[in-house]
Each structure stands twice: as C-alpha cells, then as structure tokens.
Amino acid sequence: MIKDKVVIITGASSGIGEATAKLIAAKGAKVVLGARREDKLKEIADAITAAGGQAAYRAVDVTKQDDNDAIVKLAKEKFGRVDAIFLNAGLMPASSVSALKTGEWDQMVDVNIKGVLNGVAAVMPTFTAQKSGHVIATSSVAGLKAYPGNGVYCGTKWFVRSFMEVLRMESANEGTNIRTATIYPAAINTELLDTISDGATSEAYRKLYQTYGISPERIADVVAFALDMPEDTTVNEFTVGPANQPW
Ligand code: NDP
C-alpha cells in the first residue's frame, strides 16, 4: 500500500519526478523531494501540502554523497522512517562520440551512474537494518537498446539496469527484503531535452518528442503501481512509452 509510505524522490523538481511526487502524495505517501533547484521543490511541496498531502524537500546534488545522506536524514527527522527511494535524477546531453563533448560525458557518468550509487549508499544501511525497503530507478529504453548519437547516455542507463538487477538478486540472497523496480521510459515530455547542447541533435530529438512524446504522469502511474505491491512481491522492470513509438 502506498498510503503512509515515506518515499524519497531525486530529480523531483520537474518532469517524471514532479509528476510522481504529486501522484503518490495524493495517494497518501509522505514524499521527500530532492534536486538542485530548491525554488521548484518548494513550489511542488507547497502544491502538495495545499492539496492535503505531506511533503518535505531539500536541495540535493546527487553527485555529492553528503547531499544524499542528508535527504535520508531529513526523511527520518520529518516522517520517522524511509520506505522507498526513487532514484530518478538524470540528464541526457546527447551527441555523437566524434563530437568529443567529454565534459558532458563526465556529467552523465556523475549524475546518471554515480548519483544512483550515492543514493543507494545513503539508504542501504537503513533498509538493511529494517529488513525492508524499495529502490526504484529510472533507466531508459536507452538502457535496453543502443542508439547512434547517444552512446554515453545509453551506457549510463545500461549500468542502471545491470546494477539494479544485481541489487535485487543480492538482497534476495541476503534476506534483506530490499525490493527493486527499474523503469525504462521511451519518449516522455519533460525538460530532459533542454540538456542537449548539440544543435542538430537537439532539433532531431525535439521533432521526435513532438511526434511521439507522452505525459510524465504515465511514468508516475507505474511508480505508484510498484509502490503499491505487497512486501512479498517485486515487479522488477517496466518498459513504458508512447503506443505509437515503434522503438
Ligand atoms: P527532467 O529534465 O524534467 O528532470 C530531470 C531531473 O533531474 C530534474 O528534477 C533535475 O533537477 C534533476 N537533476 C539533474 N541533475 C541533478 C543533480 N546533479 N542532482 C540532483 N538532481 C538532478 O527530465 P525527466 O523527468 O525526463 O528525467 C527523469 C529521469 O528520466 C532521468 O533519469 C532521465 O534520464 C530519465 N528518462 C527520461 C526520458 C524522457 O523521455 N523524458 C526517457 C527515459 C528516461 P535540477 O535541475 O533541479 O537538479
């Protein structure tokens, strides 16, 4: 049951994270929001509270372990426990390898990979001690298939896939009952494309999203479904995208 679960969400200031925060708060979860833009988090937390929900927030840069530890601490201080973490922060400055945008490669590795690891490291001691916890992460269809023009992003999302599956298996072996759910969205209309600095790539993606993109609420529904599953069940993977997107 979602009701009364304490759920940390990273990347909660827009797109999929924002939609998920609002949906699960409306279903009775106590949400703890993290991202870098604190003003946006405040707006979202205020909207949730005004609608009768419960929310706390904190500026978090997921590349910093201290920030990840601090949001777990905040959840415990505000709501007494942590039941789930949605590791959703990410960026996609797509470009071809030959463009050698090495600074953007680093950024994707730091946020999309290290951000997930930092979040897991922050919450794992709590989940292990309470023998319960749910780690949900946003990979991408780019974590299932390779696309020319998005090599590094695809690599970071393949990492998430593999790491989450190992986490699930080890938790089962170790009897800690830490459940996992990995989500593989296709084209979802969010702010994600704003991180693309390469002009031609940006234009191509915008056309594609205009043709196919669907609302981030669709992903929020899936996260809510995963959270609603009973403790003895893990729904490991969800691939979710526009019905008319052929790949
Ligand atoms: P948005 O750009 O709308 O959201 C990205 C979120 O990540 C923002 O809240 C942003 O907040 C946060 N973020 C970025 N860098 C950091 C950081 N260093 N520390 C903390 N938070 C950070 O896009 P989406 O909602 O689409 O993205 C959410 C996830 O979904 C990403 O992991 C993305 O890769 C994945 N995804 C998206 C798809 C799509 O089509 N939209 C498809 C497949 C996967 P802030 O800037 O305030 O820090």
Side-chain angles (χ1 to χ4, degrees), residues 11-16 35-37 60-62 88-90 111 138-140 153 157 185-188 190-192 209:
S13 60
S14 61
I16 292 169
R36 291 165 306 172
R37 288 171 294 172
V60 168
D61 182 340
V62 295
N88 168 72
V111 177
T138 316
S139 175
S140 167
Y153 181 76
K157 294 302 186 177
I188 311 295
T190 66
E191 296 177 13
L192 192 73
Y209 275 61

Side-chain angles (χ1 to χ4, degrees), residues 5-236:
K5 274 192 176 157
V6 179
V7 183
I8 297 171
I9 303 176
T10 69
S13 60
S14 61
I16 292 169
E18 175 181 358
T20 303
K22 287 178 172 166
L23 179 73
I24 66 172
K27 290 176 180 283
K30 298 166 184 171
V31 294
V32 186
L33 315 177
R36 291 165 306 172
R37 288 171 294 172
E38 201 172 354
D39 54 329
K40 293 276 299 177
L41 295 177
K42 182 178 184 322
E43 257 174 50
I44 295 162
D46 286 349
I48 288 171
T49 309
Q54 295 188 66
Y57 66 92
R58 186 190 196 286
V60 168
D61 182 340
V62 295
T63 67
K64 297 182 179 150
Q65 186 62 57
D66 286 354
D67 282 10
N68 289 272
D69 296 342
I71 198 169
V72 172
K73 190 159 170 267
L74 173 68
K76 288 181 180 173
E77 281 166 5
K78 274 272 183 193
F79 299 124
R81 53 182 290 116
V82 185
D83 297 295
I85 190 163
F86 180 29
L87 302 166
N88 168 72
L91 76 168
M92 187 187 71
S95 62
S96 58
V97 177
S98 58
L100 292 179
K101 289 184 178 275
T102 53
E104 293 182 350
W105 299 355
D106 287 346
Q107 247 188 320
M108 283 187 274
V109 169
D110 287 346
V111 177
N112 300 0
I113 295 181
K114 284 296 305 274
V116 167
L117 292 176
N118 292 342
V120 168
V123 85
M124 197 76 174
T126 305
F127 285 179
T128 305
Q130 69 195 19
K131 281 202 188 303
S132 169
H134 208 160
V135 181
I136 303 173
T138 316
S139 175
S140 167
V141 287
L144 300 170
K145 302 168 194 181
Y147 298 104
N150 221 353
V152 177
Y153 181 76
C154 287
T156 64
K157 294 302 186 177
W158 279 69
F159 167 83
V160 173
R161 178 190 192 194
S162 164
F163 177 76
M164 289 289 286
E165 178 62 358
V166 171
L167 181 60
R168 181 192 71 74
M169 294 162 117
E170 289 185 354
S171 152
N173 281 336
E174 293 168 6
T176 49
N177 197 31
I178 298 170
R179 296 177 294 141
T180 63
T182 310
I183 304 171
Y184 304 93
I188 311 295
N189 291 323
T190 66
E191 296 177 13
L192 192 73
L193 305 189
D194 296 351
T195 59
I196 304 176
S197 66
D198 185 84
T201 309
S202 171
E203 202 179 316
Y205 269 98
R206 287 199 189 278
K207 275 197 188 132
L208 190 138
Y209 275 61
Q210 273 158 19
T211 308
Y212 297 116
I214 55 171
S215 151
E217 277 79 23
R218 305 292 182 273
I219 306 300
D221 280 335
V222 168
V223 179
F225 178 85
L227 284 168
D228 223 12
M229 278 288 130
E231 279 275 309
D232 63 0
T233 304
T234 161
V235 188
N236 307 332

